[in-house]
Amino acid sequence: MSSTVLFRRGRVIDPRNGVDGVRDVLVRDGKVVEVSESLLPVPSSAEVVDATGKWVLPGFIDLHVHLREPGEEGKETVLTGCRAAVAGGFTAVVAMPNTKVVNDNAMVTELVLNRARAAGLCHVYPAGAITKGLKGEELAEMGELVFAGCVAITDDGRPVMNASLMRRTLQYATQFDVPVMVHEEDLTLSAGGAMHEGTTSTRLGLRGIPASAEVAMVARDLVLLEETKGRLHVAHVSCEGSVRLIREAKRSGLRVTCEVAPHHFILDDRAVGDYDTHAKMAPPLRADTDVQALREALVDGTVDAIATDHAPHGVLDKQVEFEKGINGIVGLETALGLTLELVHAGVLTANRAVELLTHGPAKAFGLPGGHLAPGAPADVTVVDPDAEWTVDAHQFHSRSRNTPFHGRKQKGRVIQTWVAGHKVFDKGQVGQSKESR
């Protein structure tokens, strides 16, 4: 494979550097060398990618992915999760620590990193647990986790209910300048709930989870953030009230960032229909007013990143009564198409949509990439914005199939993904892992 690649005459959208127009992009030895409005000469032995009519974008970055390894390899592995990632245009993912063997120590962090290196497909950045065993009782060894390679700390999947413990977490994390990523849910308000509290839950006879279960915890943690001067990242924001609080906190200068998942800005609680467990997640799908508030927040800059909360589960986890169904859906391979629905609807510009998938998440966590300036990593996603396709869960590269979007029509699709100048996905085919080469 050539170490030099020339992307010819694609529409380059690079929000960080203010680029949106037809360009040539030259990469060599894993780095971007030049971005030019003019035709660049073709270097000897270079691979030329004709990107005419296509978008040439910085590789997507997902701040919120569950790779399930170690412990639940039947649902996903680092390898299969990376395959799904590059198929969706993601060149980097942040792996959540709530695996069955919790990532609360350097040994597990190193295992995840070793599996990612063996896969050789995309960058995998582990997140470490806030508390030992995710029990919410005793802080994990944060320094050990950061030095082993963790880029954030989180008990995602569970809230830190103890306010004193959360305060100490924010204080301690300032020593390492890593974001504290929070799953905001007051368990005393959400206990026993299966979906959003509203007219649909009443119709179905299901106990609801009020928006206040999220909003109250966001409010608490923003107060603690103001006091500690730490870094807070609010995961999978789903409520209008949360958006309002985060917007005000940003205006006040607090170091808070947040993400929204595609399912929360595309679907509302009516998608549960007649007890469809594929529409069951945490936080739950909310009311239409919340969906509209999330879309406004995507537009005005309150939201920093679109993150999938990719949560693979097996068939038996979902083929049960709604109350017993496990929360979560896969999202890596549908994220772009769902995001482009907002572009086609005139809600987002193409530039803003790309920013939310690239520079926004990179900046939020201080990660490499997210742009295509000379010297940047040669992580590139090529998109056909006019490709029309239908989501087919049976064709996913992920090991799991749990999605409410099976059969949904989409316009716009990833056709190539490049990581460090190497092609890892090409028109439906994922490149071989290093183990297979």
Side-chain angles (χ1 to χ4, degrees):
M1 183 180 293
S2 173
S3 63
T4 303
V5 184
L6 178 61
F7 298 90
R8 178 75 89 187
R9 311 320 289 163
R11 177 185 174 186
V12 175
I13 306 176
D14 180 0
R16 173 180 154 171
N17 296 301
V19 176
D20 186 354
V22 175
R23 302 284 192 278
D24 278 10
V25 179
L26 180 65
V27 306
R28 181 184 295 117
D29 298 330
K31 299 289 184 182
V32 177
V33 175
E34 187 175 358
V35 179
S36 174
E37 292 187 55
S38 304
L39 284 170
L40 292 174
V42 179
S44 60
S45 74
E47 180 174 352
V48 178
V49 176
D50 181 2
T52 305
K54 309 300 189 292
W55 294 356
V56 177
L57 312 175
F60 304 158
I61 299 171
D62 193 341
L63 299 180
H64 195 148
V65 171
H66 299 272
L67 295 179
R68 302 301 187 210
E69 187 177 8
E72 291 185 298
E73 289 83 356
K75 297 182 178 183
E76 196 78 286
T77 65
V78 173
L79 175 58
T80 61
C82 288
R83 286 174 175 165
V86 299
F90 290 93
T91 57
V93 299
V94 177
M96 296 296 101
N98 62 335
T99 40
K100 284 300 183 184
V101 181
V102 176
N103 186 9
D104 60 4
N105 62 81
M107 185 177 298
V108 179
T109 302
E110 290 164 2
L111 182 148
V112 173
L113 288 170
N114 286 336
R115 292 286 193 272
R117 279 190 286 268
L121 293 172
C122 69
H123 308 289
V124 176
Y125 300 106
I130 292 174
T131 63
K132 293 182 178 179
L134 303 180
K135 295 179 179 178
E137 298 170 355
E138 182 182 358
L139 288 179
E141 295 294 337
M142 193 183 303
E144 174 186 318
L145 289 164
V146 173
F147 293 136
C150 289
V151 298
I153 56 166
T154 181
D155 273 5
D156 182 60
R158 302 182 187 184
V160 178
M161 286 295 295
N162 185 314
S164 176
L165 187 66
M166 186 65 199
R167 183 174 183 271
R168 280 187 281 133
T169 300
L170 286 164
Q171 288 174 322
Y172 193 29
T174 61
Q175 298 181 38
F176 307 101
D177 196 30
V178 292
V180 178
M181 181 179 186
V182 284
H183 171 115
E184 300 291 45
E185 178 185 359
D186 187 326
L187 298 177
T188 66
L189 291 170
S190 66
M195 65 172 296
H196 175 65
E197 182 180 86
T199 56
T200 302
S201 65
T202 300
R203 177 178 66 82
L204 296 175
L206 295 171
R207 184 167 179 176
I209 300 171
S212 57
E214 175 179 300
V215 180
M217 291 290 277
V218 171
R220 182 203 74 174
D221 287 345
L222 289 174
V223 169
L224 296 176
L225 179 66
E226 183 175 27
E227 189 173 70
T228 60
K229 313 302 180 189
R231 286 176 65 188
L232 186 73
H233 180 79
V234 184
H236 44 50
V237 173
S238 70
C239 299
E240 180 181 12
S242 301
V243 166
R244 186 168 59 249
L245 290 170
I246 294 166
R247 184 180 287 121
E248 281 301 313
K250 287 190 168 197
R251 288 173 179 167
S252 299
L254 297 187
R255 299 178 72 191
V256 58
T257 55
C258 70
E259 67 188 45
V260 172
H263 47 269
H264 283 127
F265 64 69
I266 291 294
L267 302 176
D268 61 33
D269 60 339
R270 291 172 293 183
V272 172
D274 292 320
Y275 309 98
D276 182 2
T277 55
H278 285 119
K280 186 172 190 283
M281 61 276 295
L285 298 175
R286 299 290 187 182
D288 179 65
T289 52
D290 296 301
V291 173
Q292 298 308 314
L294 294 180
R295 292 183 175 191
E296 291 172 11
L298 290 166
V299 172
D300 70 17
T302 301
V303 174
D304 299 271
I306 290 172
T308 66
D309 193 9
H310 177 82
H313 291 297
V315 174
L316 296 181
D317 295 325
K318 291 291 187 177
Q319 288 185 348
V320 293
E321 298 91 336
F322 192 87
E323 296 95 324
K324 295 180 181 178
I326 295 181
N327 290 314
I329 65 171
V330 292
L332 286 165
E333 297 173 74
T334 54
L336 175 66
L338 296 173
T339 300
L340 290 180
E341 287 191 27
L342 298 190
V343 175
H344 302 318
V347 176
L348 290 178
T349 64
N351 192 283
R352 178 62 179 150
V354 172
E355 182 179 19
L356 287 160
L357 290 165
T358 59
H359 176 54
K363 183 179 179 182
F365 275 25
L367 300 176
H371 69 103
L372 294 174
D379 298 340
V380 179
T381 298
V382 182
V383 169
D384 183 344
D386 299 316
E388 296 184 358
W389 60 289
T390 302
V391 176
D392 183 353
H394 304 295
Q395 299 299 315
F396 282 168
H397 295 273
S398 169
R399 186 162 280 184
S400 294
R401 306 285 180 260
N402 51 307
T403 177
F405 298 113
H406 177 72
R408 193 179 184 95
K409 304 289 186 182
Q410 302 279 261
K411 184 178 180 181
R413 193 170 198 177
V414 173
I415 57 171
Q416 287 187 348
T417 306
W418 298 72
V419 174
H422 296 287
K423 184 162 49 181
V424 292
F425 178 78
D426 187 13
K427 299 175 184 175
Q429 298 299 314
V430 175
Q432 290 183 329
S433 69
K434 287 185 178 178
E435 292 175 327
S436 304
R437 292 172 192 161

